[in-house]
Amino acid sequence: SVRGSPGADDNASGVAAVLELARWWQTIESPSRTVRFVCFANEEHPFFQTEAMGSRRHAERARERGEDIVAMLSLEMLGYYREAPGTQSYPIGLGWFYPERGDFVAFVGNLSSRGVVRRSIGAFRDVARHPSEGLAAPSFVPGVGLSDHRAFWQVDYEAIMVTDTAFFRNPHYHEPTDRPETLDYERMAHVVEGLQAVVETWGRPGARSR
């Protein structure tokens, strides 16, 4: 987490989701693709967008080895949800197209990764008991590239972020108040259940009935 913050949502919530998905994946028989569950160091300032980022080094080594990574999913803050109107904000111009309630999880990618956004959110919506929204936008749009998925874009892999939208919703972002009691664990569990379908879609293409 960023220095000075307990980091319950940013990003213990994402780490918890990765661990649970990895535990569940062990029960899946005959995956047709390799699926890696990775927790990266040094995502926060002062390392963000530098060579010291764990995700940057991982992505660069993968590209050097010629690995065929078809999709990278960055689980970036998954625990903060609010139903009241006006609890969700957006970069300028996007608020006209998306809900004003901060009760959804977002699938976000750059334009090159729009296919990953579309396929992932489709798999999620097939099974999830939780609202979701998708966005594929230029990487310069504020917030679109603020996680480890950006490092994969930099070496031409398709990658997306799955998020509760961070500072566009959560007032505790990077603050000492980002504590466990601020999270909604029931909704977070529903998100992880939906992400199981997403992981299976990429790890066992064609195995799930649509």
Side-chain angles (χ1 to χ4, degrees):
S1 62
V2 71
R3 293 171 184 173
S5 175
D9 196 26
D10 186 18
N11 191 25
S13 63
V15 173
V18 169
L19 293 173
E20 174 56 18
L21 289 167
R23 183 205 62 78
W24 158 79
W25 186 249
Q26 294 179 83
T27 69
I28 299 299
E29 297 181 359
S30 304
S32 54
R33 284 182 174 146
T34 297
V35 177
R36 292 177 181 155
F37 298 88
V38 185
C39 296
F40 297 114
N42 295 354
E43 187 263 358
E44 295 286 2
H45 178 80
F47 308 107
F48 186 68
Q49 295 191 37
T50 74
E51 291 288 341
M53 285 185 71
S55 55
R56 178 77 172 269
R57 296 196 176 193
H58 186 103
E60 288 177 347
R61 301 303 180 271
R63 178 55 73 191
E64 289 170 3
R65 292 190 293 263
E67 295 181 353
D68 181 21
I69 297 176
V70 298
M72 182 274 193
L73 311 177
S74 178
L75 307 186
E76 176 65 65
M77 303 180 63
L78 296 175
Y80 193 87
Y81 303 96
R82 292 295 182 270
E83 292 187 347
T87 51
Q88 183 67 49
S89 62
Y90 299 94
I92 294 174
L94 292 182
W96 294 101
F97 308 102
Y98 291 95
E100 63 172 339
R101 301 173 188 269
D103 63 349
F104 61 89
V105 66
F107 290 72
V108 180
N110 63 359
L111 295 178
S112 297
S113 303
R114 57 188 176 274
V116 179
V117 172
R118 184 168 52 250
R119 185 171 177 185
S120 297
I121 201 170
F124 184 88
R125 288 175 173 173
D126 278 350
V127 302
R129 295 179 289 169
H130 189 89
S132 57
E133 299 291 338
L135 172 68
S139 57
F140 60 77
V141 173
V144 167
L146 291 183
S147 189
D148 289 305
H149 60 305
R150 182 186 184 92
F152 287 74
W153 294 348
Q154 291 172 318
V155 291
D156 296 322
Y157 286 124
E158 295 182 22
I160 68 171
M161 171 174 58
V162 186
T163 180
D164 63 18
T165 75
F167 53 86
F168 291 109
R169 177 188 307 171
N170 190 341
H172 308 290
Y173 175 79
H174 284 189
E175 296 292 336
T177 52
D178 185 8
R179 303 185 60 82
E181 58 267 26
T182 67
L183 305 188
D184 187 325
Y185 294 98
E186 183 175 359
R187 285 185 169 88
M188 184 175 164
H190 291 165
V191 169
V192 175
E193 289 173 354
L195 288 174
Q196 290 178 352
V198 179
V199 173
E200 188 170 8
T201 288
W202 291 106
R204 301 176 71 218
R208 295 183 61 247
S209 59
R210 299 290 294 173

